[in-house]
Short mmCIF file of all heavy atoms in Angstrom, two decimals:
data_model
loop_
_atom_site.label_atom_id
_atom_site.label_comp_id
_atom_site.label_asym_id
_atom_site.label_seq_id
_atom_site.Cartn_x
_atom_site.Cartn_y
_atom_site.Cartn_z
N LYS A 1 11.06 11.32 9.84
CA LYS A 1 11.05 12.29 10.94
C LYS A 1 9.96 13.34 10.77
O LYS A 1 9.48 13.92 11.75
CB LYS A 1 12.41 12.98 11.04
CG LYS A 1 13.52 12.09 11.59
CD LYS A 1 14.83 12.85 11.71
CE LYS A 1 15.92 12.01 12.33
NZ LYS A 1 17.20 12.74 12.48
N ALA A 2 9.55 13.58 9.54
CA ALA A 2 8.52 14.59 9.27
C ALA A 2 7.11 14.07 9.49
O ALA A 2 6.15 14.86 9.46
CB ALA A 2 8.66 15.10 7.84
N MET A 3 6.97 12.79 9.73
CA MET A 3 5.64 12.19 9.91
C MET A 3 5.05 12.59 11.26
O MET A 3 5.79 12.81 12.23
CB MET A 3 5.72 10.67 9.80
CG MET A 3 6.22 10.16 8.45
SD MET A 3 4.95 10.13 7.19
CE MET A 3 4.02 8.68 7.65
N PRO A 4 3.71 12.67 11.36
CA PRO A 4 3.06 13.05 12.63
C PRO A 4 3.40 12.06 13.75
O PRO A 4 3.42 10.85 13.53
CB PRO A 4 1.57 12.98 12.28
CG PRO A 4 1.50 13.13 10.80
CD PRO A 4 2.74 12.48 10.26
N GLY A 5 3.68 12.60 14.94
CA GLY A 5 3.89 11.78 16.12
C GLY A 5 5.28 11.20 16.25
O GLY A 5 5.58 10.54 17.26
N ILE A 6 6.16 11.42 15.29
CA ILE A 6 7.50 10.84 15.35
C ILE A 6 8.41 11.74 16.18
O ILE A 6 8.53 12.94 15.94
CB ILE A 6 8.07 10.62 13.94
CG1 ILE A 6 7.17 9.67 13.16
CG2 ILE A 6 9.50 10.08 14.01
CD1 ILE A 6 6.89 8.34 13.84
N VAL A 7 9.08 11.14 17.15
CA VAL A 7 9.96 11.87 18.05
C VAL A 7 11.39 11.87 17.55
O VAL A 7 12.09 12.87 17.62
CB VAL A 7 9.89 11.26 19.47
CG1 VAL A 7 10.91 11.92 20.40
CG2 VAL A 7 8.48 11.40 20.04
N ASP A 8 11.84 10.73 17.01
CA ASP A 8 13.22 10.64 16.55
C ASP A 8 13.40 9.38 15.70
O ASP A 8 12.58 8.45 15.76
CB ASP A 8 14.18 10.59 17.75
CG ASP A 8 15.59 11.06 17.40
OD1 ASP A 8 15.86 11.31 16.20
OD2 ASP A 8 16.42 11.17 18.31
N VAL A 9 14.45 9.36 14.92
CA VAL A 9 14.91 8.17 14.22
C VAL A 9 16.36 7.99 14.60
O VAL A 9 17.18 8.89 14.42
CB VAL A 9 14.77 8.29 12.69
CG1 VAL A 9 15.35 7.05 12.00
CG2 VAL A 9 13.30 8.45 12.31
N VAL A 10 16.69 6.82 15.16
CA VAL A 10 18.00 6.60 15.75
C VAL A 10 18.67 5.40 15.09
O VAL A 10 18.05 4.33 14.95
CB VAL A 10 17.88 6.34 17.27
CG1 VAL A 10 19.26 6.07 17.87
CG2 VAL A 10 17.22 7.52 17.96
N THR A 11 19.91 5.56 14.69
CA THR A 11 20.70 4.44 14.17
C THR A 11 21.70 4.00 15.23
O THR A 11 22.46 4.82 15.75
CB THR A 11 21.45 4.85 12.89
OG1 THR A 11 20.51 5.28 11.90
CG2 THR A 11 22.25 3.68 12.33
N PHE A 12 21.66 2.73 15.57
CA PHE A 12 22.63 2.19 16.51
C PHE A 12 22.95 0.75 16.12
O PHE A 12 22.09 -0.02 15.77
CB PHE A 12 22.14 2.28 17.96
CG PHE A 12 20.90 1.50 18.28
CD1 PHE A 12 20.98 0.29 18.96
CD2 PHE A 12 19.64 1.96 17.90
CE1 PHE A 12 19.83 -0.44 19.28
CE2 PHE A 12 18.49 1.25 18.21
CZ PHE A 12 18.59 0.04 18.90
N LYS A 13 24.24 0.45 16.16
CA LYS A 13 24.72 -0.85 15.70
C LYS A 13 24.19 -1.10 14.29
O LYS A 13 24.41 -0.30 13.39
CB LYS A 13 24.35 -1.94 16.70
CG LYS A 13 25.11 -1.79 18.02
CD LYS A 13 24.80 -2.85 19.03
CE LYS A 13 25.63 -2.60 20.30
NZ LYS A 13 25.18 -3.42 21.42
N ASN A 14 23.46 -2.18 14.11
CA ASN A 14 22.94 -2.48 12.77
C ASN A 14 21.44 -2.23 12.71
O ASN A 14 20.73 -2.85 11.89
CB ASN A 14 23.26 -3.93 12.40
CG ASN A 14 23.66 -4.08 10.94
OD1 ASN A 14 23.99 -3.11 10.27
ND2 ASN A 14 23.63 -5.30 10.45
N ASN A 15 20.95 -1.34 13.56
CA ASN A 15 19.52 -1.08 13.70
C ASN A 15 19.19 0.37 13.37
O ASN A 15 19.96 1.28 13.68
CB ASN A 15 19.06 -1.37 15.13
CG ASN A 15 19.36 -2.79 15.55
OD1 ASN A 15 19.12 -3.72 14.79
ND2 ASN A 15 19.87 -2.96 16.76
N VAL A 16 18.02 0.56 12.81
CA VAL A 16 17.47 1.90 12.63
C VAL A 16 16.12 1.93 13.32
O VAL A 16 15.17 1.25 12.90
CB VAL A 16 17.31 2.26 11.14
CG1 VAL A 16 16.78 3.69 11.00
CG2 VAL A 16 18.62 2.10 10.40
N ALA A 17 16.01 2.68 14.42
CA ALA A 17 14.81 2.71 15.25
C ALA A 17 13.98 3.95 14.97
O ALA A 17 14.51 5.07 14.96
CB ALA A 17 15.17 2.65 16.72
N VAL A 18 12.69 3.75 14.74
CA VAL A 18 11.75 4.86 14.60
C VAL A 18 11.00 4.98 15.91
O VAL A 18 10.36 4.02 16.36
CB VAL A 18 10.78 4.61 13.44
CG1 VAL A 18 9.82 5.79 13.29
CG2 VAL A 18 11.53 4.37 12.14
N VAL A 19 11.08 6.14 16.55
CA VAL A 19 10.51 6.36 17.87
C VAL A 19 9.38 7.38 17.77
O VAL A 19 9.54 8.44 17.14
CB VAL A 19 11.57 6.86 18.86
CG1 VAL A 19 10.98 6.99 20.26
CG2 VAL A 19 12.79 5.95 18.87
N GLY A 20 8.24 7.05 18.38
CA GLY A 20 7.11 7.97 18.30
C GLY A 20 6.13 7.78 19.43
O GLY A 20 6.39 7.07 20.40
N LYS A 21 4.96 8.43 19.26
CA LYS A 21 3.98 8.48 20.34
C LYS A 21 2.94 7.39 20.27
O LYS A 21 2.15 7.21 21.20
CB LYS A 21 3.30 9.86 20.34
CG LYS A 21 4.28 11.00 20.63
CD LYS A 21 3.59 12.35 20.60
CE LYS A 21 4.58 13.48 20.90
NZ LYS A 21 3.95 14.83 20.84
N SER A 22 2.88 6.65 19.16
CA SER A 22 1.95 5.52 19.07
C SER A 22 2.52 4.48 18.12
O SER A 22 3.34 4.80 17.24
CB SER A 22 0.58 5.98 18.56
OG SER A 22 0.62 6.26 17.17
N THR A 23 2.08 3.26 18.26
CA THR A 23 2.54 2.17 17.40
C THR A 23 2.16 2.44 15.95
O THR A 23 2.96 2.19 15.04
CB THR A 23 1.91 0.84 17.86
OG1 THR A 23 2.21 0.63 19.24
CG2 THR A 23 2.45 -0.33 17.06
N TRP A 24 0.96 2.95 15.72
CA TRP A 24 0.49 3.19 14.35
C TRP A 24 1.34 4.27 13.67
O TRP A 24 1.74 4.11 12.51
CB TRP A 24 -0.98 3.60 14.38
CG TRP A 24 -1.55 3.94 13.04
CD1 TRP A 24 -2.02 5.15 12.62
CD2 TRP A 24 -1.71 3.05 11.93
NE1 TRP A 24 -2.47 5.08 11.33
CE2 TRP A 24 -2.30 3.79 10.87
CE3 TRP A 24 -1.43 1.70 11.72
CZ2 TRP A 24 -2.59 3.24 9.63
CZ3 TRP A 24 -1.72 1.13 10.49
CH2 TRP A 24 -2.30 1.91 9.45
N GLN A 25 1.64 5.35 14.39
CA GLN A 25 2.46 6.41 13.81
C GLN A 25 3.87 5.92 13.49
O GLN A 25 4.44 6.24 12.43
CB GLN A 25 2.51 7.60 14.76
CG GLN A 25 1.18 8.34 14.89
CD GLN A 25 1.19 9.38 15.99
OE1 GLN A 25 1.80 9.18 17.04
NE2 GLN A 25 0.52 10.51 15.76
N VAL A 26 4.41 5.13 14.38
CA VAL A 26 5.75 4.58 14.17
C VAL A 26 5.77 3.63 12.98
O VAL A 26 6.68 3.66 12.14
CB VAL A 26 6.23 3.85 15.45
CG1 VAL A 26 7.44 2.97 15.17
CG2 VAL A 26 6.55 4.86 16.55
N SER A 27 4.74 2.80 12.87
CA SER A 27 4.66 1.84 11.78
C SER A 27 4.58 2.54 10.42
O SER A 27 5.24 2.14 9.45
CB SER A 27 3.45 0.92 11.98
OG SER A 27 3.36 -0.03 10.95
N LYS A 28 3.79 3.59 10.34
CA LYS A 28 3.66 4.34 9.08
C LYS A 28 4.97 5.03 8.71
O LYS A 28 5.39 5.03 7.55
CB LYS A 28 2.54 5.37 9.20
CG LYS A 28 1.13 4.76 9.25
CD LYS A 28 0.07 5.83 9.39
CE LYS A 28 -0.04 6.69 8.13
NZ LYS A 28 -1.12 7.69 8.24
N ALA A 29 5.64 5.61 9.70
CA ALA A 29 6.89 6.32 9.43
C ALA A 29 7.99 5.36 9.01
O ALA A 29 8.84 5.70 8.16
CB ALA A 29 7.31 7.12 10.66
N ARG A 30 7.98 4.18 9.57
CA ARG A 30 9.01 3.19 9.23
C ARG A 30 8.98 2.85 7.73
O ARG A 30 10.02 2.59 7.12
CB ARG A 30 8.81 1.93 10.07
CG ARG A 30 9.81 0.82 9.79
CD ARG A 30 9.50 -0.41 10.62
NE ARG A 30 10.33 -1.53 10.27
CZ ARG A 30 10.18 -2.74 10.79
NH1 ARG A 30 9.22 -2.98 11.69
NH2 ARG A 30 10.97 -3.73 10.41
N LYS A 31 7.80 2.88 7.14
CA LYS A 31 7.65 2.50 5.73
C LYS A 31 8.31 3.50 4.78
O LYS A 31 8.59 3.15 3.63
CB LYS A 31 6.17 2.35 5.39
CG LYS A 31 5.50 1.17 6.09
CD LYS A 31 4.02 1.10 5.79
CE LYS A 31 3.36 -0.07 6.53
NZ LYS A 31 1.89 -0.12 6.30
N VAL A 32 8.57 4.72 5.24
CA VAL A 32 9.18 5.71 4.35
C VAL A 32 10.68 5.88 4.62
O VAL A 32 11.32 6.74 4.04
CB VAL A 32 8.46 7.07 4.44
CG1 VAL A 32 6.99 6.92 4.07
CG2 VAL A 32 8.62 7.69 5.83
N LEU A 33 11.22 5.06 5.54
CA LEU A 33 12.66 5.08 5.76
C LEU A 33 13.39 4.65 4.49
O LEU A 33 12.93 3.78 3.76
CB LEU A 33 13.04 4.09 6.88
CG LEU A 33 13.01 4.55 8.34
CD1 LEU A 33 13.37 3.37 9.23
CD2 LEU A 33 13.95 5.71 8.59
N LYS A 34 14.54 5.25 4.25
CA LYS A 34 15.39 4.84 3.14
C LYS A 34 16.74 4.39 3.71
O LYS A 34 17.55 5.21 4.13
CB LYS A 34 15.58 5.99 2.15
CG LYS A 34 14.29 6.42 1.47
CD LYS A 34 14.51 7.61 0.53
CE LYS A 34 13.20 8.05 -0.11
NZ LYS A 34 13.40 9.24 -0.99
N VAL A 35 16.90 3.07 3.77
CA VAL A 35 18.12 2.50 4.35
C VAL A 35 18.86 1.72 3.26
O VAL A 35 18.28 0.87 2.59
CB VAL A 35 17.80 1.56 5.53
CG1 VAL A 35 19.10 1.08 6.17
CG2 VAL A 35 16.93 2.27 6.56
N GLU A 36 20.13 2.01 3.10
CA GLU A 36 20.97 1.30 2.13
C GLU A 36 21.91 0.37 2.90
O GLU A 36 22.48 0.76 3.92
CB GLU A 36 21.78 2.29 1.30
CG GLU A 36 22.58 1.62 0.19
CD GLU A 36 23.39 2.62 -0.63
OE1 GLU A 36 23.30 3.84 -0.35
OE2 GLU A 36 24.12 2.17 -1.53
N TYR A 37 22.03 -0.87 2.42
CA TYR A 37 22.86 -1.86 3.09
C TYR A 37 24.03 -2.28 2.20
O TYR A 37 23.98 -2.13 0.98
CB TYR A 37 22.04 -3.10 3.46
CG TYR A 37 20.94 -2.82 4.46
CD1 TYR A 37 19.63 -2.57 4.05
CD2 TYR A 37 21.21 -2.80 5.82
CE1 TYR A 37 18.63 -2.32 4.97
CE2 TYR A 37 20.21 -2.55 6.75
CZ TYR A 37 18.92 -2.31 6.32
OH TYR A 37 17.94 -2.06 7.23
N GLU A 38 25.05 -2.84 2.84
CA GLU A 38 26.17 -3.40 2.11
C GLU A 38 26.54 -4.76 2.70
O GLU A 38 26.25 -5.04 3.87
CB GLU A 38 27.37 -2.46 2.15
CG GLU A 38 27.89 -2.16 3.54
CD GLU A 38 29.00 -1.12 3.52
OE1 GLU A 38 29.48 -0.81 2.43
OE2 GLU A 38 29.38 -0.63 4.60
N LYS A 39 27.19 -5.57 1.90
CA LYS A 39 27.53 -6.93 2.30
C LYS A 39 28.64 -6.93 3.34
O LYS A 39 29.63 -6.21 3.22
CB LYS A 39 27.97 -7.73 1.07
CG LYS A 39 28.29 -9.18 1.34
CD LYS A 39 28.65 -9.90 0.04
CE LYS A 39 29.09 -11.33 0.30
NZ LYS A 39 29.44 -12.04 -0.96
N GLU A 40 28.45 -7.73 4.38
CA GLU A 40 29.43 -7.85 5.44
C GLU A 40 29.97 -9.28 5.55
O GLU A 40 31.14 -9.50 5.85
CB GLU A 40 28.80 -7.43 6.78
CG GLU A 40 29.75 -7.42 7.94
CD GLU A 40 29.09 -6.92 9.22
OE1 GLU A 40 27.89 -7.22 9.41
OE2 GLU A 40 29.76 -6.24 10.01
N GLN A 41 29.09 -10.27 5.33
CA GLN A 41 29.47 -11.68 5.35
C GLN A 41 28.83 -12.37 4.15
O GLN A 41 28.06 -11.76 3.41
CB GLN A 41 28.99 -12.35 6.65
CG GLN A 41 29.56 -11.76 7.92
CD GLN A 41 29.04 -12.49 9.15
OE1 GLN A 41 29.18 -13.69 9.29
NE2 GLN A 41 28.42 -11.75 10.05
#
């Protein structure tokens, strides 16, 4: 969220969406996300 051009980071269902003003800014911000998963099936 602190990265330039990022508007929001949204979690819905099993997705974490990085939303921003350009594809490049979104792609860079996605790389610093920290998502922890657990086994479901």
